[in-house]
Amino acid sequence: MNAITMVIGSICILMIAYRLYGTFMAAKVMKLKALDEAQKTPAHSREDGKDYVPTNKWVAFGHHFAAIAAAGPLVGPILAAQFGYLPGLLWLLIGAVIGGAVHDAVVLFASMRQNGESVAEIAKRELGPVAGFCTGLAMLFIITITMAGLSMVVLHALEHNPWGTFAVGSTIPIAMGVGLYHRKTGNLKGATIVGFALIMAAVFVGPYIQGTFLGDLLSFDVKELSIILPIYAFFAAALPVWLLLAPRDYLSSFMKIGVFVALIAGVFVVNPDIQFPALTEFIHGGGPIIAGPVWPFISITIACGAISGFHAFVGSGTTPKMLDRWQDIKVVGFGAMLVECVVAIMALVAATALQPADYFAINSTPEVFKTLGMETVNLAQLSQAIGLDLEGRTGGAVTLAVGMTYIFTEIPWFSNLASFFFQFVIMFEALFILTAIDSGTRVARYLIQDFGGTFYKPLKRVDWVPGNIFASALACFLWGYLLFSGDIGSVWALFGVSNQLMASIGLIVGATIILKVADKRRYMLTCLIPLSYLYVTVNYAGYWMVKNVYLNTAAAGYSVLNAILSIIMLALGLVIIITAVKNWMKNWNRPAIKLNNKTA
């Protein structure tokens, strides 16, 4: 197979899904047009100028896409390429349309119907205090693990990399300037042009600061970055959303989408062959990257890009407080997920365009690679052109950078720019992840305020400044401590299980709301079908990891802490699903709630 066939076919499927299934979800299941006629969105009804701010549809899209598209759609498909190109491609397309886009839209819908409250608060209101407590606790576990895990990827991308640090750091004052200018003038077009031009200037100036005083000043080691990242996240979580978080994510989305549009163009020009087979010998397990079999681990390794519980944090955190109209849910919730799927497919193309032996040499330790009986093909030439020894650079981030560099440098004009493209993609990946870290930390702040508000009521108010500062600082401390101490091992598998458990919880909440408001009970199947698959998958994967890895002293990922965290999260999920099923049985025959009921 060649790459063009994969890319064109995938984009066509996703466009048709958006036009047909997305319209069905918006018009029939959620009845968004009727909602626009019946009531205001929370951004209008609770406008406070800080968190609840009516926002242009495309700015909200940019924020939401930038927040949900973190390391997952970049790293997950890279690691899953171990199984061949077909399992990852099928899961991305089926999972995104049937699962991910539905999940993101219904969570956003459910949160907006509850005035922008978190999934935990919705679960408490709809399923009772026990389910609400379990959901909140699970969310706090998951968001802490997620923030620490994502930050670990950033550390190694920016470690002693002044170019990347300068480019990424420049987005902060630029975004604040754009936010202030747009707030004062309302001129989004002018703010966008100036802001994007400044960001691109920072990217291209970056190489020239290396070796200078400023370059030395911006060269940080892992421990220093472990302190800097939580400090930045504190300000992103505590400051008004229009000042830093929303404009930074909005501007970052241009670079994110732009890079992948460039990659798509590069694929059309170069048309590289997919070097990987459809299925590899590792589909039954025993692979050097992912120890488990293709099922359930294809759906655990690839979360963002197909379906991701992390999106529920954003969809019930910042975004529902920003949408100007109810009908914007289709573009922002359903649409952004499908765009993220395209990003993940392009990452899969970049990985599988490499020779399999080169791919495994990068993603395996040298000791493990020797046992595979493979000989590298282009790796030596790529290492020389990039100026970096690529063997044994596990984790997926370097593989994506190498794959994209390989495609770009096949274009004659760019053949001598391998090192530039490689460093640019590494910086681009860091920017991708940081936009999720700042949004995720703000969501963690909301969760802490929800929890703490049970014991001290003023803390629950998102407009109370002391509460905001306290909750933001505590959220940063929780994941910052894990980041600094480096106590999380086998983080991607742990992240995958916890993340997909959160997606199951999001679908449970979405199904509960749809049961209340939909005209036809069968519309609930839009959530129940992906929920059934995902819940079985995540529980089996959790059991497999606990038995074969976390509590196996002979395994490289042996970790009693990870086993305890996994068992706690799966137990919380069991309580939630049992409570939800009882609720569904009780309310099955009740009539749908009218659209003008604001507490529905």
Side-chain angles (χ1 to χ4, degrees), residues 198-212:
L198 289 173
I199 286 179
M200 293 309 298
V203 171
F204 286 104
V205 168
Y208 300 102
I209 72 165
Q210 298 185 104
T212 68

Side-chain angles (χ1 to χ4, degrees), residues 439-455:
S439 295
T441 304
R442 196 176 189 93
V443 172
R445 175 200 127 191
Y446 295 149
L447 284 172
I448 291 170
Q449 288 187 267
D450 283 341
F451 255 108
T454 305
F455 307 99

Side-chain angles (χ1 to χ4, degrees), residues 463-484:
D463 59 346
W464 187 47
V465 175
N468 291 353
I469 294 174
F470 169 77
S472 299
L474 181 57
C476 293
F477 174 78
L478 288 174
W479 67 260
Y481 172 77
L482 292 175
L483 178 67
F484 186 82

